[in-house]
Structures are given as C-alpha cells and as structure tokens.
Amino acid sequence: MRLDAPVLQGRHVRLEPLEHRHASALAAASAVDPSLYQWSPVPQGEAEAARYIETALTWQQAGTALPFVIIRASDGAVIGTTRFFDLEQWAWPQGHPLHGRGGPDSGEIGYTWLASGAIRTAANTESKLLMLTHAFEMWRMLRICFHTDARNLRSQKALEGIGARFEGVLRSHRIAADFTVRDSYRFSIVAAEWPAVKERLQKRLR
C-alpha cells in the first residue's frame, strides 16, 4: 500500500509524520522520567531515538506502518510518538464492493508514549481520537486493535476507558520492554462500534 502521511490537527495536540529530524526532541521527551516506561519500548538517548525512527520509517516504506510525532499545540513542543502498524489490505475478490478501495482494512495502533508532563492530560485521548477518525472515516477501516503487556494495568484501563473491547490474552506474544517474553492483552474497535467510541472520546475531551 502507498499511504499518504497526513498532519492530524486537534485542539490540544498535532500529529505530524515522524522524521529523522525528530530524534533529539524525542530523546529529550523520554529523558525526564525513564521509570514511566517500564512496559513500553521507549528510546533513551539520541542514538536510540534515531534507530527507533529508522525502524518506523522502514515499516512505513514497506506500506505496513504510518508513524507520527505528537506535538503540543500550545507551544509546539514534541511530547511523544505513536503509530499505525501491522496495516493489512485484505484480498477482496474482483467485483466485490471493497475490491481495489486502496486503504488498509485492519491494523494496530501502538508504540504510543508521552513525556511525563503530558501524561494524564488531553494528549493521549485526542491523539487516539485523531487517529481513529482517520482510520474509520478516511481509510474506512474495518478494525483497529491494540496490544498491551499483561502487566500494564494503566494501559489496560486507558483502553477500556476509550471504549475498546477486550478480546483475550495472547500468550508468549511478543518480546517485552524488559526483554522477557510477554503475554499481551488484546483490545479492538470495529467499524460498527466507532460512532459510540467517537462520542465517548469527544465527551472525555469536553
């Protein structure tokens, strides 16, 4: 898939396409309190941030990911990052109404982290609203899923809070941020649920 890299503008944050030039700003954003990132793969230092960005851009070039940097609207500060990834275009047969529609049918939102000062602000809620709106209303996706470390209770509560539905536990699913083999809790939102999820996110922002 060839995916455009849009700028997603909200009241509180702006999501811009992730680029190599963001490495130093991301390193600074994650340096304030590294203890926050026990369960998430967050780069520490500019060299790690550069490698992190290179991986994300390689996936983007392959058509399976679209990474963003999260920018605070009030002052233009870089406060984190997030991305679409594992994007899939299903093999709809010739003549099917969804054949050749161009965008992804399913995918995941993840690699989301915020600087310490942006946690428990509107940044995460609005970032999710912007990305999910793009997914379901521009790409007309059928499904978005999320995975979180089984030990990450804060992330699980946040996903439940936005209206994502718990699907189950994937055992020995991925390598964890602490380099153990982790179980993942899987959540999802499907297209039919999006109007209610959107209303819930908008209400939380108000």
Side-chain angles (χ1 to χ4, degrees):
M1 286 179 293
R2 295 181 62 86
L3 299 173
D4 293 333
V7 173
L8 305 180
Q9 180 69 57
R11 288 182 54 208
H12 305 281
V13 297
R14 182 173 68 254
L15 305 188
E16 294 185 357
L18 182 64
E19 299 178 359
H20 291 290
R21 64 185 177 88
H22 294 124
S24 59
L26 285 181
S30 67
V32 177
D33 188 359
S35 67
L36 289 171
Y37 311 120
Q38 182 179 10
W39 311 122
S40 304
V42 176
Q44 296 299 315
E46 192 164 346
E48 281 191 20
R51 289 192 294 270
Y52 185 90
I53 292 170
E54 182 61 34
T55 298
L57 295 181
T58 298
W59 293 1
Q60 181 176 349
Q61 290 166 5
T64 62
L66 191 58
F68 296 95
V69 65
I70 303 171
I71 297 174
R72 189 164 50 214
S74 61
D75 60 4
V78 171
I79 57 171
T81 184
T82 187
R83 76 183 75 159
F84 293 108
F85 70 107
D86 280 353
L87 293 170
E88 295 182 354
Q89 192 173 48
W90 297 347
W92 301 104
Q94 191 86 25
H96 191 283
L98 296 180
H99 175 78
R101 68 192 191 92
D105 293 291
S106 69
E108 183 166 351
I109 291 175
Y111 291 90
T112 304
W113 59 268
L114 293 167
S116 60
I119 293 173
R120 295 187 179 87
T121 69
N124 186 50
T125 299
E126 189 166 58
S127 294
K128 292 294 189 294
L129 176 60
L130 291 169
M131 294 179 76
L132 289 167
T133 299
H134 191 79
F136 287 116
E137 298 181 15
M138 299 300 294
W139 286 340
R140 293 177 294 134
M141 289 180 72
L142 304 174
R143 166 188 176 81
I144 283 284
C145 71
F146 309 83
H147 294 98
T148 184
D149 193 305
R151 299 166 293 182
N152 190 346
L153 300 180
R154 185 179 71 186
S155 178
Q156 293 160 32
K157 289 179 180 178
L159 288 168
E160 291 170 352
I162 68 171
R165 184 171 297 185
F166 177 64
E167 290 189 338
V169 180
L170 302 182
R171 299 182 301 157
S172 297
H173 177 228
R174 286 179 179 164
I175 186 170
D178 59 359
F179 302 109
T180 60
V181 179
R182 84 176 205 190
D183 293 344
S184 294
Y185 276 36
R186 183 176 182 132
F187 294 81
S188 68
I189 299 168
V190 300
E193 297 164 347
W194 167 236
V197 171
K198 182 178 183 179
E199 183 177 355
R200 189 169 185 168
L201 285 166
Q202 290 173 330
K203 183 177 180 181
R204 291 186 68 174
L205 279 174
R206 290 195 296 270

